[in-house]
Amino acid sequence: MKEIKIKKSLQNQYDNYYKDKNEKWRHICAEEKAKNILQLSVGYKFSKVLEYGSGDGSILKYLNDNSEIQSLYGAEISESGILSAKGKSITKLEEVINFDGYQLPYKNKEFDMVYCSHVIEHVEYPRALLREIKRVADFMIIEIPLDYYIGVDKNVQSFLDYGHIDVYTPSTFKFLLKSEGFNLLNELNTNPSKKILEYQWFDNQNKRRTLKNLLKLNTVELKQLLKKFIFTKKYYNEHSFLSLIHI
């Protein structure tokens, strides 16, 4: 059987990924991702936790303040991400390892929980990733972006430009998880907060801070609630999906 490992071209792309000046953007997003993880963790005691695809350590930094968590670990393919994580003074961080994207150097069931946030959509072999997490942990929390829409195939290059090679809906992703034998305990659908949208619009996209744009920003959350009320949760498309899974 052919060995599963990340392509050299992808490895080279990610090695320098965290050398850009987008650190503030990653920190804003990481704060919300950490809140989502902790929301799904309520009622469970996860003492030893691993982040699979830990990036620059921004989520680890926020989870470091949680009193239930005693030790944190990270696994990352990007050298620049590892260096950034190690420089964040995360007191509970035991180590951040460089790995091949699939095989972890840990024993079976070593962790109480592994979380994987906005990673699997970048992965060529998602089932291999899920099986390795299943090997090393009792629980998993996984978050994905909901990129699918009708006609998504007409915009393939735009997704490839930021590394998204898999596209999911909540149903297709839950099918993947269940077909691998996972038991889904809880799930959460989310939308970007006003804080994220504000930075996205006015910093990343360089929109002008006009009265019209500010009013539009302030009504986004209300519009999201109205859509849920009118179309019901079943037919409403959120931007992210998370699930707490017993392995």
Side-chain angles (χ1 to χ4, degrees):
M1 180 179 175
K2 183 180 178 181
E3 181 183 2
I4 295 177
K5 58 182 180 180
I6 190 170
K7 285 183 179 178
K8 185 67 175 175
S9 58
L10 283 176
Q11 180 66 64
N12 292 338
Q13 176 184 345
Y14 285 112
D15 271 342
N16 298 316
Y17 185 80
Y18 296 96
K19 289 183 178 179
D20 62 21
K21 301 186 185 299
N22 239 350
E23 188 169 2
K24 184 178 179 180
W25 169 243
R26 289 194 290 269
H27 278 221
I28 291 172
C29 294
E31 182 179 10
E32 298 221 349
K33 291 175 182 177
K35 288 178 181 177
N36 292 337
I37 291 165
L38 294 175
Q39 183 175 339
L40 281 180
S41 300
V42 172
Y44 297 87
K45 186 177 176 63
F46 299 136
S47 178
K48 189 175 183 179
V49 174
L50 168 72
E51 181 174 9
Y52 194 112
S54 53
D56 68 348
S58 293
I59 301 178
L60 290 166
K61 179 72 172 176
Y62 282 105
L63 293 181
N64 190 66
D65 295 330
N66 182 263
S67 60
E68 294 289 332
I69 298 173
Q70 299 302 310
S71 56
L72 290 164
Y73 294 75
E76 175 56 41
I77 66 169
S78 169
E79 287 289 353
S80 61
I82 292 169
L83 287 173
S84 181
K86 288 181 176 179
K88 283 185 167 57
S89 300
I90 304 170
T91 56
K92 295 178 183 178
L93 184 61
E94 300 293 338
E95 64 178 4
V96 183
I97 61 158
N98 182 281
F99 78 133
D100 63 6
Y102 295 100
Q103 297 177 318
L104 294 166
Y106 298 114
K107 63 186 180 182
N108 294 349
K109 304 303 178 187
E110 182 159 345
F111 297 96
D112 299 317
M113 187 267 285
V114 172
Y115 68 90
C116 185
S117 180
H118 287 251
V119 170
I120 200 167
E121 68 273 11
H122 297 268
V123 172
E124 295 171 277
Y125 306 102
R127 289 183 184 272
L129 178 154
L130 292 171
R131 290 167 189 172
E132 184 66 350
I133 293 177
K134 189 175 187 177
R135 182 183 68 80
V136 301
D138 291 316
F139 291 85
M140 171 176 69
I141 292 177
I142 191 161
E143 180 174 9
I144 59 164
L146 300 178
D147 288 331
Y148 175 79
Y149 56 87
I150 296 173
V152 68
D153 57 299
K154 297 176 182 178
N155 292 294
V156 171
Q157 190 56 51
S158 65
F159 287 99
L160 296 182
D161 287 343
Y162 49 92
H164 288 202
I165 60 175
D166 298 299
V167 174
Y168 298 103
T169 68
S171 292
T172 59
F173 191 65
K174 285 189 281 187
F175 184 94
L176 171 63
L177 294 172
K178 290 179 179 180
S179 69
E180 285 294 320
F182 292 113
N183 179 24
L184 280 62
L185 301 175
N186 199 359
E187 62 186 64
L188 178 66
N189 294 288
T190 69
N191 275 299
S193 68
K194 179 183 173 182
K195 185 177 181 180
I196 285 181
L197 288 175
E198 184 175 13
Y199 192 89
Q200 176 76 344
W201 288 9
F202 301 130
D203 290 85
N204 288 349
Q205 297 177 0
N206 295 314
K207 289 186 177 182
R208 295 176 61 194
R209 287 182 177 270
T210 62
L211 179 60
K212 180 180 178 181
N213 281 336
L214 289 171
L215 287 172
K216 185 177 179 181
L217 179 66
N218 286 322
T219 59
V220 165
E221 292 179 348
L222 177 60
K223 287 179 179 179
Q224 291 169 352
L225 290 173
L226 286 173
K227 284 183 180 179
K228 283 189 176 183
F229 177 76
I230 295 170
F231 298 111
T232 76
K233 187 174 181 179
K234 181 178 179 181
Y235 297 104
Y236 180 66
N237 293 322
E238 276 88 355
H239 288 258
S240 293
F241 169 81
L242 293 93
S243 183
L244 170 65
I245 301 150
H246 186 220
I247 300 171

